[in-house]
């Protein structure tokens, strides 16, 4: 009997040791893959959340920028080349997380290869122009686009990104035609608009709000159901007569097989951070709308977006010309 008890205790000790190793510990380093260049939506989210998460979890976050292919390089690395022990996670941006492989069968990851952790923000789409742009209002911009099909150059975060699809959705809902200019992230897109290298950037509110506040960019329209409380003078596309509501949601995911203990620990930490008044104040200052969706619900959200954007892509793919 004593041998059985000793053996059981040894097994329990071993399992306990494994469980402890499956939790984040003080001083652990966690690499966060970002699929876009600094200054875009992923970076904004990282700078907002990770100082708070670092205090909560006691770990050190190291951001690794892997731009290209609208995030697909980073997400392929996460899905197929990263350890599944929780030491590597990634900021996951929808809808481009799914539209990458919806549009390109050569991309070899899907959301089934990932472990969704938590969505943090949902960031509405906007149209911005440089401060010296001749377009002072959305109506002026849209009227000019109608009168000059294909002549207006609008930037986006990359082929397949939410801004890319927002432009397609606006074209589908109107008789307008734009020349779409892809960049490696939201940051380079709004920077090009600010410098006058393109006519406008289709971007996201949280990415450009500080530049609008400082006067470097002018916001013409927002793609929400109702006007945003931070920008009561900026009209929605819906009120201008175009039924387009769109944006980007951003959160964190790990590789498939990430330890359940670390997954739940990360989720609990983010939920606690999201309830922190200082975090809420920081998010509000950047016009970021907190939208916490965790675990299985986050996966369901991704699956629903996958279905929605498959339908959109199937409708528009045959109409896309070389000007895109």
């Amino acid at each position: 009997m004593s041998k059985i008890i000793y053996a059981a205790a040894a097994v329990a000790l071993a399992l306990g040791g494994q469980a402890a190793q499956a939790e984040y510990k003080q001083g652990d380093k966690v690499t966060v893959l970002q699929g876009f260049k600094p200054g875009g939506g992923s970076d904004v989210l990282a700078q907002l959340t990770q100082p708070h998460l670092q205090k909560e979890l006691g770990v050190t976050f190291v951001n690794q920028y892997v731009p290209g292919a609208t995030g697909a390089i980073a997400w392929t690395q996460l899905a197929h080349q990263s350890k599944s022990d929780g030491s590597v996670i990634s900021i996951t941006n929808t809808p481009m997380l799914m539209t990458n492989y919806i549009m390109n069968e050569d991309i070899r990851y899907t959301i089934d290869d990932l472990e969704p952790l938590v969505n943090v923000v949902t960031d509405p789409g906007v149209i911005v122009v440089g401060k010296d742009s001749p377009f002072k209002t959305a109506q002026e911009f849209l009227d000019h686009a109608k009168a000059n099909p294909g002549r207006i150059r609008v930037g986006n975060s990359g082929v397949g990104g939410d801004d890319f699809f927002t432009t397609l959705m606006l074209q589908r809902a109107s008789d307008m035609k734009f020349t779409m200019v892809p960049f490696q992230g939201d940051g380079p897109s709004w920077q090009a608009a600010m410098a006058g290298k393109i006519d406008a950037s289709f971007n996201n509110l949280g990415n450009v709000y500080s530049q609008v506040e400082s006067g470097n960019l002018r916001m013409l329209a927002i793609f929400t159901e109702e006007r945003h409380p931070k920008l009561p003078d900026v009209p929605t596309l819906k009120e201008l007569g175009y039924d387009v509501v769109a944006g980007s949601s951003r959160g964190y995911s790990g590789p498939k097989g990430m330890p359940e203990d670390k997954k739940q620990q990360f989720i609990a930490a983010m939920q606690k951070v999201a309830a922190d008044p200082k975090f809420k104040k920081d998010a509000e200052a950047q016009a970021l709308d907190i939208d916490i969706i965790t675990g299985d619900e986050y996966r369901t959200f991704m699956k629903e977006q996958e279905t929605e954007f498959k339908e959109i892509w199937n409708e528009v793919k045959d109409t896309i010309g070389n000007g895109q």
Side-chain angles (χ1 to χ4, degrees):
M1 180 66 71
S2 61
K3 289 182 179 179
I4 294 174
I5 293 173
Y6 177 80
V11 170
L13 182 62
L15 290 174
Q18 290 175 5
Q21 291 173 5
E23 293 181 350
Y24 288 114
K25 301 185 294 296
Q26 191 75 28
D28 280 354
K29 186 178 82 170
V30 179
T31 298
V32 182
L33 302 177
Q34 293 198 37
F36 303 89
K37 288 185 175 180
S42 295
D43 208 27
V44 169
L45 180 67
Q47 305 310 321
L48 171 70
T49 60
Q50 285 161 207
H52 295 273
L53 282 171
Q54 194 156 293
K55 292 178 182 178
E56 191 64 37
L57 290 171
V59 304
T60 299
F61 289 101
V62 178
N63 290 296
Q64 181 178 338
Y65 300 92
V66 192
T70 324
I73 296 174
W75 296 324
T76 300
Q77 182 175 328
L78 180 72
H80 299 303
Q81 300 164 16
S82 299
K83 293 180 179 179
S84 58
D85 60 359
S87 63
V88 181
I89 60 175
S90 178
I91 293 177
T92 38
N93 316 54
T94 63
M96 57 280 286
L97 179 68
M98 291 77 75
T99 56
N100 282 334
Y101 57 83
I102 289 172
M103 297 172 62
N104 186 351
E105 62 183 14
D106 291 332
I107 291 176
R108 296 303 182 187
Y109 78 85
T110 72
I111 55 177
D112 294 329
D113 299 315
L114 308 179
E115 194 65 55
L117 299 173
V118 55
N119 186 71
V120 181
V121 301
T122 294
D123 200 0
V126 295
I127 303 173
V128 291
V129 297
K131 64 180 181 180
D132 298 322
S133 169
F135 303 116
K136 307 300 182 186
T137 68
Q139 197 62 61
E140 289 177 0
F141 175 79
L142 296 171
D143 287 346
H144 192 78
K146 286 181 185 177
N148 298 274
R151 299 287 298 275
I152 298 292
R153 299 163 300 153
V154 298
N156 59 63
S157 58
V159 175
D162 64 302
D163 319 308
F164 174 87
F165 269 88
T166 299
T167 312
L168 294 180
M169 291 162 70
L170 178 55
Q171 290 184 157
R172 187 176 60 160
S174 69
D175 55 358
M176 287 178 268
K177 179 73 172 177
F178 298 98
T179 293
M180 296 163 64
V181 184
F183 292 88
Q184 288 189 346
D186 299 288
S189 177
W190 67 252
Q191 289 159 12
M194 187 169 68
K197 295 178 180 178
I198 54 177
D199 297 299
S201 171
F202 280 38
N203 215 293
N204 296 103
L205 174 58
N207 303 334
V208 299
Y209 181 71
S210 64
Q211 298 298 326
V212 173
E213 285 288 278
S214 63
N216 294 321
L217 292 172
R218 182 182 306 122
M219 192 173 296
L220 300 183
I222 189 167
F223 304 166
T224 49
E225 291 284 353
E226 299 177 351
R227 294 196 181 198
H228 197 280
K230 298 284 283 187
L231 297 155
D233 296 329
V234 177
T236 68
L237 277 183
K238 288 196 76 170
E239 69 185 84
L240 294 170
Y242 306 99
D243 189 11
V244 179
V245 176
S248 174
S249 293
R250 306 186 196 101
Y252 290 91
S253 297
K256 187 175 182 179
M258 180 176 174
E260 187 67 19
D261 285 357
K262 285 187 175 177
K263 175 183 173 181
Q264 295 304 326
Q265 190 182 5
F266 188 94
I267 289 172
M270 190 63 243
Q271 288 175 319
K272 189 171 180 180
V273 166
D276 182 348
K278 185 178 185 309
F279 175 80
K280 291 180 179 180
K281 184 177 179 180
D282 291 346
E284 183 180 358
Q286 298 182 62
L288 287 171
D289 297 330
I290 302 303
D291 184 19
I292 300 297
I293 310 171
T294 64
D296 291 340
E297 290 185 5
Y298 189 24
R299 182 183 297 279
T300 298
F301 170 78
M302 289 181 177
K303 284 288 189 182
E304 288 171 350
Q305 290 237 319
E306 183 183 56
T307 298
E308 177 185 357
F309 280 89
K310 275 183 181 177
E311 292 174 357
I312 294 173
W313 178 241
N314 286 337
E315 284 184 26
V316 303
K317 62 182 180 181
D318 292 333
T319 67
I320 296 186
N322 294 329
Q324 310 305 322

